[in-house]
């Protein structure tokens, strides 16, 4: 007997279904753009070394990084998406590093260039950043695109606990996240928040409280949920090799999600439900499946447990 999952219905609001409905069945893909940005806790503004879980291009100096031009990246990304996935429409996604960490006039030049490459098939702009790298001027810049494109602003919350943020050298407190959310209360931007589950000093009870914090902010439309994974070129990777600590198995992570997702506000769309790293970079945990296999196993596990997003959500 066919299940809901067999019919493409997941036990949570997933991004693929959202895009399909919003854009009338067209195949929409994100095209990743690297603007050669850095971060304030890497360049000395707030600290050095970056977040301990982050692969900082093997700590190669930004001036030595060789990346294609924005035009080349967009053109190549669109071509790959069309040829490999039959993509019809595109969202320009400034993803690597902190994509508002530059003067506003420079940001405008970069966003404008990326959006000008294939305007007839570009539907949106997505910008990943940190809460401490936004101000009213940059928010206004992003809002200026909303009459032509769907614009989502993705912020790394990572943890709701300042102790954790200090231990991972985040260089940004949860209080700063809350201050930025206050700035964004009346924005026309669509907000996405990124979290990481599985820091070894955080208990399950602590992690489940992330849902309560996310639910408090009605402007949050999307979330990206990641499990902690350890990669080469990161400070945490060096520490893990010296003294390994517990990380989620795929079964443990699925079980955790089966408790978390029911707590999450039912209108929120989950853009991503786990993290992934290139095989050559991943230290642990190695779940032994390709990306599609991980997705399928988690989704089946959630369905088998009778999970339904928002079923345990409370307005109080």
């Amino acid at each position: 007997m066919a299940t809901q999952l067999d019919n493409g219905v997941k036990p949570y609001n997933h991004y693929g279904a959202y895009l399909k409905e919003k854009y009338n069945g067209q195949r929409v893909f994100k095209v990743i753009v690297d603007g050669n940005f850095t971060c304030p806790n890497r360049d000395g503004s707030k600290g050095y070394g970056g977040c301990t879980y982050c692969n900082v291009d093997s700590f190669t100096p930004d001036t030595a990084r060789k990346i294609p031009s924005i035009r080349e990246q967009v053109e190549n990304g669109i071509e790959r998406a069309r040829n490999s996935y039959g993509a019809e429409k595109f969202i320009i996604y400034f993803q690597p590093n902190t994509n508002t960490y530059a003067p506003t006039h420079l940001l405008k030049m970069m966003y404008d260039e990326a959006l000008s490459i294939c305007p007839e098939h570009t539907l949106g702009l997505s910008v990943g950043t940190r809460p401490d790298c936004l101000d009213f001027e940059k928010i206004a810049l992003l809002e200026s695109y909303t009459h032509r494109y769907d614009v989502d602003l993705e912020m790394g919350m990572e943890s709701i606990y300042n102790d954790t943020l200090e231990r991972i050298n985040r260089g940004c407190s949860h209080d700063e996240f809350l201050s930025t959310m206050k700035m964004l209360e009346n924005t026309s931007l669509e907000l996405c928040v990124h979290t990481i589950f599985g820091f070894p000093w955080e208990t399950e009870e602590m992690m489940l409280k992330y849902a309560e914090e996310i639910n408090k902010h009605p402007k949050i439309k999307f979330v990206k949920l990641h499990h902690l994974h350890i990669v080469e070129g990161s400070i945490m990777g060096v520490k893990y090799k010296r003294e390994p600590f517990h990380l989620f198995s795929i079964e443990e992570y699925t079980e955790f999600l089966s408790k978390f997702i029911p707590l999450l506000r039912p209108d929120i769309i989950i853009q991503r439900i786990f993290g992934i790293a290139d095989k050559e970079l991943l230290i642990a945990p190695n779940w032994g499946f390709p990306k599609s296999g991980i997705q399928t196993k988690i989704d089946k596990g959630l369905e088998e447990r009778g999970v339904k997003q928002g079923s345990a959500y409370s307005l109080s």
Side-chain angles (χ1 to χ4, degrees):
M1 181 184 240
T3 66
Q4 288 279 84
L5 195 57
D6 292 330
N7 293 322
V9 180
K10 299 191 180 189
Y12 55 90
N13 296 330
H14 70 103
Y15 192 48
Y18 164 80
L19 290 176
K20 187 174 182 180
E21 181 178 357
K22 184 176 180 65
Y23 298 116
N24 301 314
Q26 296 180 97
R27 295 183 66 81
V28 180
F29 276 69
K30 284 188 173 181
V31 175
I32 294 174
V33 178
D34 186 344
N36 201 16
F37 293 97
T38 183
C39 293
N41 65 335
R42 284 168 53 188
D43 69 0
S45 297
K46 285 194 164 184
Y48 296 95
C51 301
T52 62
Y53 57 80
C54 185
N55 176 314
V56 192
D57 300 307
S58 299
F59 299 106
T60 302
D62 289 338
T63 53
R65 292 169 63 203
K66 303 296 183 183
I67 60 172
S69 68
I70 286 176
R71 172 169 289 277
E72 289 173 304
Q73 291 181 64
V74 174
E75 289 176 343
N76 293 340
I78 287 175
E79 183 179 4
R80 282 195 302 272
R82 281 175 171 159
N83 294 339
S84 300
Y85 305 105
E88 301 168 272
K89 300 292 182 180
F90 308 95
I91 297 170
I92 302 300
Y93 182 21
F94 281 83
Q95 181 189 35
N97 300 303
T98 305
N99 294 275
T100 60
Y101 192 43
T104 305
H105 71 280
L106 292 180
L107 295 175
K108 185 178 189 308
M109 289 172 59
M110 298 173 79
Y111 301 157
D112 285 353
E113 181 179 4
L115 290 167
S116 71
I117 309 303
C118 189
E120 68 275 20
H121 297 294
T122 299
L123 299 173
L125 172 67
S126 180
V127 176
T129 190
R130 295 161 50 100
D132 57 349
C133 291
L134 284 165
D135 54 40
F136 285 113
E137 186 180 28
K138 290 171 183 175
I139 292 168
L141 169 64
L142 291 169
E143 288 175 335
S144 72
Y145 296 102
T146 58
H147 69 287
R148 290 173 289 163
Y149 305 100
D150 291 322
V151 183
D152 76 80
L153 178 65
E154 180 182 323
M155 290 196 300
M157 181 176 74
E158 316 311 4
S159 174
I160 66 173
Y161 301 105
N162 284 329
D163 175 67
T164 292
L165 297 173
E166 289 174 9
R167 293 176 74 164
I168 63 175
N169 194 41
R170 181 69 177 151
C172 179
S173 70
H174 189 61
D175 301 309
E176 288 173 283
F177 171 82
L178 296 176
S179 295
T180 302
M181 288 302 300
K182 189 77 174 171
M183 275 199 298
L184 292 162
E185 276 184 344
N186 299 311
T187 188
S188 56
L189 303 173
E190 297 180 332
L191 303 186
C192 177
V193 168
H194 184 285
T195 70
I196 300 176
F197 299 119
F199 294 114
W201 52 83
E202 289 190 5
T203 65
E204 181 180 273
E205 182 181 6
M206 291 171 70
M207 291 185 287
L208 290 175
K209 288 186 182 298
Y210 286 32
E212 183 180 334
E213 181 62 53
I214 291 168
N215 292 339
K216 289 177 183 176
H217 303 284
K219 291 300 297 184
I220 294 177
K221 182 171 182 174
F222 307 107
V223 292
K224 287 186 176 180
L225 312 177
H226 279 203
H227 66 289
L228 178 64
H229 54 276
I230 312 301
V231 295
E232 297 284 359
S234 69
I235 296 169
M236 197 173 283
V238 174
K239 292 180 178 179
Y240 183 84
K241 287 180 178 180
R242 291 175 181 166
E243 191 174 346
F245 47 84
H246 181 75
L247 298 165
F248 278 121
S249 67
I250 192 168
E251 292 80 12
E252 289 170 332
Y253 187 57
T254 302
E255 181 64 23
F256 169 75
L257 290 174
S258 75
K259 299 173 184 177
F260 182 84
I261 290 173
L263 296 170
L264 193 64
R265 212 174 63 227
D267 61 289
I268 290 174
I269 294 123
I270 299 177
Q271 286 198 13
R272 193 179 297 160
I273 205 162
F274 64 92
I276 196 75
D278 292 339
K279 185 177 179 180
E280 62 271 18
L281 291 177
L282 181 64
I283 298 173
N286 186 347
W287 288 345
F289 301 96
K291 182 179 180 180
S292 60
I294 294 172
Q295 186 74 61
T296 298
K297 188 167 179 63
I298 290 176
D299 285 345
K300 284 184 176 179
L302 294 175
E303 184 178 61
E304 289 167 359
R305 290 166 172 82
V307 170
K308 182 179 179 182
Q309 182 178 334
S311 61
Y313 167 65
S314 172
L315 288 172
S316 59

